[in-house]
Amino acid sequence: ATIEALADTVRAAESVVAFTGAGVSTASGIPDFRGEDGLWNRYDTNDFHVRRLRADPAGFWVDRLDLAEELAADVGPNPAHEALARLEAAGHLDAVVTQNVDGLHRAAGSEDVIELHGDRSRVVCLDCGDRSDAEAVRERVRDGERPPRCDCGGLLKPDVVLFGEQLPVGAMQRAQSLARGADVFLAVGSSLSVEPAAGLPRTAAAHGATLAIVNLDETPLSDRAAFDVRDDVTDVLPRLADRVV
Ligand code: OAD
């Protein structure tokens, strides 16, 4: 009944914005951070801090090779990504704001995707800002180039936001403007625990959006959500899209 009511609300809304976290990609085989098998149970977050990259760039890159290999397995979008793409194509979703760096929303066909934490398939030069393919650089690291450097001599960094770094300003501004204008703000597969991205659902609610949360676990905003669906996104989002479209 909740999903039907949420679908009616989405269909009637003028502006619907989705905000996604690692939980939309677990069904694709990508671990989340704070769920049961989350990465932060296995990794020290200090190793993902920009301080660590600056202090020991070679070690930083070498330490990530195993994880990169695990994540490089052939992954593709799952029914949750596909449902969001379907909602957008049908004109019932303005944009997907994502904290994920896996590129799976675009792979599923979502067109307006705002990536707040970057894209792990690229690297960026810390000096000249040039971006290039990450797998080619990881190959160079495997072959012994440590740390990998840009043609300009600058240090290369995975093009993802590390702890201690700012979010990309343009992406965050766009996300905030979408949050302020949303009639329905659909937060899915995120623990909603990491600032500043997690401030977006609060901003949306403060500007009058109906807040809907789909997540296996409770979140700090669950109490404030008009719809609080504690269930699997790969089940809920396709049912929602079926009902709306
Ligand atoms: P989290 O790991 O914090 O939260 C993912 C949430 O999704 C958890 O509450 C899980 O219970 C839930 N979940 C997992 N699989 C699900 C499924 N199939 N259906 C429904 N819910 C599911 O991930 P994020 O909220 O994305 O930052 O974390 C935010 C940021 O913290 C990440 O972007 C990353 C991390 O530090 C950076 O790397 C900059």
Side-chain angles (χ1 to χ4, degrees):
T2 313
I3 294 176
E4 278 86 72
L6 176 56
D8 293 344
T9 306
V10 166
R11 204 179 316 103
E14 208 144 280
S15 166
V16 181
V17 174
F19 177 63
T20 70
V24 297
S25 293
T26 51
S28 295
I30 299 175
D32 64 11
F33 299 94
R34 297 171 189 79
E36 218 177 326
D37 300 315
L39 286 180
W40 298 154
N41 295 326
R42 285 198 270 148
Y43 286 89
D44 182 348
T45 52
N46 287 317
D47 289 339
F48 291 77
H49 199 286
V50 65
R51 262 196 317 261
R52 161 101 167 114
L53 174 69
R54 296 211 181 266
D56 176 17
F60 176 94
W61 272 97
V62 171
D63 286 356
R64 294 174 77 95
L65 287 179
D66 283 350
L67 179 59
E69 227 134 87
E70 178 186 336
L71 298 181
D74 231 350
V75 296
N78 67 54
H81 302 104
E82 283 154 10
L84 292 175
R86 259 201 291 152
L87 284 170
E88 182 188 19
H92 290 291
L93 182 67
D94 288 2
V96 176
V97 178
T98 188
Q99 299 166 90
N100 299 343
V101 297
D102 54 34
L104 292 182
H105 286 300
R106 262 180 236 287
S110 283
E111 287 187 3
D112 199 349
V113 182
I114 294 112
E115 292 173 320
L116 293 177
H117 291 167
D119 174 352
R120 63 177 298 279
S121 73
R122 293 182 316 233
V123 297
V124 60
C125 172
L126 291 182
D127 283 355
C128 74
D130 185 48
R131 290 184 160 79
S132 59
D133 177 56
E135 188 41 43
V137 170
R138 282 193 291 266
E139 199 52 52
R140 282 159 48 192
V141 177
R142 283 185 207 104
D143 288 345
E145 183 184 339
R146 298 166 183 182
R149 293 196 177 275
C150 178
D151 289 341
C152 83
L155 182 62
L156 293 176
K157 187 197 82 143
D159 193 13
V160 299
V161 175
L162 298 175
F163 288 107
E165 287 191 305
Q166 303 275 341
L167 270 58
V169 174
M172 194 58 190
Q173 280 172 348
R174 175 94 208 287
Q176 275 162 338
S177 136
L178 283 163
R180 284 192 297 267
D183 297 326
V184 177
F185 194 87
L186 192 57
V188 294
S190 176
S191 63
L192 303 180
S193 60
V194 181
E195 300 296 333
L200 291 168
R202 278 201 311 273
T203 299
H207 285 78
T210 299
L211 181 60
I213 296 176
V214 184
N215 201 57
L216 285 175
D217 291 318
E218 189 177 3
T219 77
L221 288 178
S222 296
D223 284 349
R224 292 175 57 177
F227 297 93
D228 181 26
V229 186
R230 305 260 173 96
D231 221 328
D232 195 312
V233 292
T234 60
D235 174 49
V236 174
L237 293 183
R239 281 167 59 200
L240 178 69
D242 284 347
R243 173 99 189 178
V244 170
V245 176

